[in-house]
Each structure stands twice: as structure tokens, then as C-alpha cells.
């Protein structure tokens, strides 16, 4: 799951949250961009996968 948080008119933080086995949320990674666009999201997910997290596509 990715979530976009608008920081200002021109900047959005795209965040990858993770949930541990006890139900606590953690920020796994984030990227700054002008929007939640495909390029920012793909690059962010590539970094997560390189760190051995798996992604399930739905």
C-alpha cells in the first residue's frame, strides 16, 4: 500500500507503511514529489523490493 500526504501546494510525500506482527505501523520508506504519480511510486516500490520486502499486486 502507498499513501500520499500533501505537504504543500507543490509537494507530496508518498509513504510506504508497514504493519508488524503486533499490529503496529511503521514507515518503511518515503519519497517526495509533486504528486502521487506512477514514476515516484514505481521508484519507491523498487527500493522496497531491493530491501527484500515483497509486494502483492491486487
Amino acid at each position: 500500500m502507498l499513501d500520499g500526504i500533501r505537504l504543500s501546494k507543490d509537494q507530496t510525500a508518498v509513504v510506504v507503511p508497514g504493519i508488524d506482527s503486533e499490529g503496529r505501523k511503521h514507515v518503511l520508506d518515503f519519497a517526495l514529489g509533486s504528486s502521487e504519480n506512477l514514476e515516484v511510486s514505481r521508484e519507491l516500490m523498487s527500493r522496497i523490493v531491493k530491501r527484500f520486502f515483497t509486494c502483492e499486486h491486487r
Side-chain angles (χ1 to χ4, degrees):
M1 176 173 81
L2 300 176
D3 193 16
I5 301 167
R6 190 172 184 144
L7 302 175
S8 70
K9 179 183 172 190
D10 300 323
Q11 193 166 51
T12 299
V14 181
V15 179
V16 180
I19 301 173
D20 66 21
S21 61
E22 296 179 9
R24 293 181 295 220
K25 293 180 183 178
H26 303 274
V27 174
L28 301 179
D29 204 347
F30 70 95
L32 299 176
S34 59
S35 68
E36 296 179 67
N37 64 44
L38 184 60
E39 183 179 331
V40 171
S41 299
R42 269 198 184 141
E43 194 257 312
L44 185 53
M45 292 310 297
S46 290
R47 290 196 323 237
I48 292 292
V49 170
K50 285 179 186 174
R51 291 175 25 213
F52 303 105
F53 288 97
T54 58
C55 300
E56 186 175 308
H57 298 280
R58 294 183 181 202

